[in-house]
Amino acid sequence: MNEKRKQIYVLASPCNQGKTTTALLLEKYFRSKGLRVACLQTMKGQYDVGTFLQHNCYQYTLPLEAAKSKKMLELWLPKGYDKYILEVTLPHGPIGAAYIDLFQKINEVISNEVKDNWKNYVLGISSSFLSIWDLIYARNVQRVITKVPSKIESPCVDTSFNLHHPEDFVSDTVNPKMLLPKSDARVVAVGAFPAEFWDIYPNLKWYGYDYVKFMDEYRTERYELAIVGSCLDRNLKLLHKPEKSPVICYQPSCYLESSTLSCEDQHSNMLVKSDPLEIFRRIKEEPVGTPLADEGCLYEVYNNKFWTPDCDILWNNRNLPMLSQKDNMTFCNGWILPQYLIREGYLEV
């Protein structure tokens, strides 16, 4: 095998199949062999970053533009790791399929209770997935069954969270090319934020989701950068605002006025009003920032210059911009990666 090329294990499935659990167990397996492992996620990363950080894993988000081609993907893969594990959520939809299209071998994570009725289960999530079905299964697909009561003869995860037959997972190869800048600046952070910051700032101090403890440090301003990450409390307000120290905030409603949020996730009621194959085509062929879907479509959340899910649209609240700055505060109304903040001039390293 070419020395530059590394193995990448793609884990694909809809939500709630045990994909992240499988990724963490596979990472642990490789790490036990003395290997350095990078855990990669698509934009689902914002929901799982805390879990990966708590397990001392190296976690990265692959933006949608990385799905354009294998060459583009490799520009977003961090160098310096022995193995790569990529989770792709909703691979049967146009967004997930754009990533899957880059690989010839994938591991499909399926929970034991739905394995015998898999196609009906997937199409029950959205009948639009049928239009992309053949694209997914035109490659080598290895099933990984999760939540099994005991070990079976193929890759699986049992109900006691033991991984079996990891050697039978299938993999592709990639040539990672991304090198992030490094800084010894003193950084404090809380909540969920892109884990790439940890790579850029090795001295970063993370307070988990303890906002009260974080505030004690936050008020001192004895740091060079503060990151206010997001959390599940959409009504959280922070009374202190640093006078001079730069702050990157991933939950703008902590400081900015926003519309009253519904208790119901409005995103769940949005329909796939645009042709999934057309969305797939635009990802592959059109410039980043090209609108991907019609207004009111589930995938409208990607209609911005970063192709990053817009949290305002996600919550049916459109009065906050995707990215804005006021004095020393930078507000990210979505999972905007530090690479984009650097490129746009909002972050200096």
Side-chain angles (χ1 to χ4, degrees):
M1 184 183 296
N2 187 320
E3 267 188 33
K4 291 184 179 180
R5 301 199 71 79
K6 304 291 184 179
Q7 285 180 297
I8 184 168
Y9 295 78
V10 180
L11 308 182
S13 73
C15 299
N16 303 317
Q17 298 302 302
K19 185 167 58 275
T20 297
T21 296
T22 303
L24 288 168
L25 290 172
L26 189 59
E27 189 273 349
K28 183 179 179 181
Y29 167 76
F30 287 134
R31 197 173 0 161
S32 71
K33 295 181 174 296
L35 301 173
R36 295 190 79 232
V37 185
C39 294
L40 314 163
Q41 291 190 310
T42 56
M43 281 302 166
K44 180 177 177 285
Q46 65 194 96
Y47 302 105
D48 293 329
V49 62
T51 300
F52 281 93
L53 293 181
Q54 288 164 355
H55 282 80
N56 295 314
C57 297
Y58 298 99
Q59 195 253 17
Y60 299 84
T61 297
L62 288 183
L64 187 51
E65 69 174 86
K68 278 190 163 294
S69 65
K70 196 72 168 283
K71 182 178 180 181
M72 183 67 77
L73 170 77
E74 292 175 340
L75 294 177
W76 287 91
L77 293 178
K79 297 181 70 171
Y81 293 93
D82 302 304
K83 302 284 186 179
Y84 296 79
I85 301 170
L86 168 61
E87 291 181 61
V88 177
T89 302
L90 294 175
H92 307 89
I95 304 296
Y99 292 95
I100 295 298
D101 182 59
L102 304 177
F103 305 99
Q104 291 303 311
K105 300 176 183 179
I106 65 171
N107 301 278
E108 189 170 38
V109 181
I110 303 173
S111 61
N112 189 52
E113 59 264 35
V114 298
K115 71 179 189 302
D116 296 327
N117 194 34
W118 182 237
K119 187 170 185 178
N120 287 337
Y121 175 81
V122 172
L123 297 182
I125 298 172
S126 174
S127 59
S128 69
F129 290 171
L130 184 61
S131 62
I132 292 177
W133 190 268
D134 290 343
L135 183 151
I136 302 301
Y137 296 100
R139 57 207 71 243
N140 180 353
V141 179
Q142 170 65 61
R143 277 192 165 195
V144 179
I145 308 301
T146 61
K147 308 174 188 178
V148 296
S150 59
K151 179 181 177 181
I152 59 177
E153 295 304 313
S154 59
C156 64
V157 176
D158 65 32
T159 50
S160 297
F161 302 104
N162 296 305
L163 178 67
H164 302 284
H165 308 297
E167 68 281 357
D168 291 334
F169 279 63
V170 296
S171 64
D172 251 299
T173 61
V174 288
N175 182 9
K177 296 181 178 179
M178 184 176 76
L179 279 174
L180 293 173
K182 300 289 185 182
S183 170
D184 59 1
R186 188 164 186 268
V187 179
V188 295
V190 68
F193 57 93
E196 285 82 354
F197 278 103
W198 209 307
D199 194 320
I200 296 170
Y201 300 103
N203 296 325
L204 184 150
K205 183 177 181 180
W206 183 48
Y207 284 84
Y209 293 87
D210 190 340
Y211 284 78
V212 174
K213 192 172 182 180
F214 168 77
M215 290 303 294
D216 292 336
E217 178 87 10
Y218 193 46
R219 293 186 185 96
T220 68
E221 294 201 46
R222 292 196 296 266
Y223 46 81
E224 294 167 77
L225 174 67
I227 303 171
V228 177
S230 61
C231 68
L232 294 177
D233 184 358
R234 310 304 301 181
N235 296 313
L236 177 69
K237 295 291 183 182
L238 299 184
L239 300 180
H240 176 75
K241 181 180 178 182
E243 293 183 6
K244 296 181 180 179
S245 300
V247 177
I248 298 174
C249 180
Y250 281 90
Q251 192 154 318
S253 58
C254 287
Y255 288 104
L256 303 179
E257 289 300 320
S258 60
S259 301
T260 302
L261 298 179
S262 167
C263 294
E264 180 183 5
D265 182 355
Q266 300 294 328
H267 188 239
S268 64
N269 292 326
M270 299 175 79
L271 302 174
V272 183
K273 296 181 179 179
S274 301
D275 178 8
L277 290 176
E278 175 60 18
I279 296 172
F280 178 88
R281 185 199 67 78
R282 290 180 185 179
I283 294 169
K284 296 295 183 177
E285 299 178 7
E286 300 296 336
V288 178
T290 300
L292 295 182
D294 299 330
E295 184 174 336
C297 176
L298 178 69
Y299 299 103
E300 181 198 358
V301 296
Y302 290 91
N303 289 355
N304 56 72
K305 69 184 297 184
F306 306 110
W307 279 354
T308 294
D310 186 316
C311 291
D312 256 17
I313 295 178
L314 201 66
W315 288 93
N316 198 29
N317 169 33
R318 300 167 185 258
N319 68 324
L320 296 179
M322 187 72 176
L323 178 62
S324 61
Q325 194 168 56
K326 185 176 181 181
D327 301 324
N328 57 323
M329 307 283 292
T330 298
F331 298 102
C332 300
N333 199 38
W335 203 244
I336 301 177
L337 301 176
Q339 298 96 309
Y340 289 137
L341 295 176
I342 293 170
R343 186 190 73 187
E344 299 292 318
Y346 288 87
L347 177 64
E348 293 184 9
V349 179

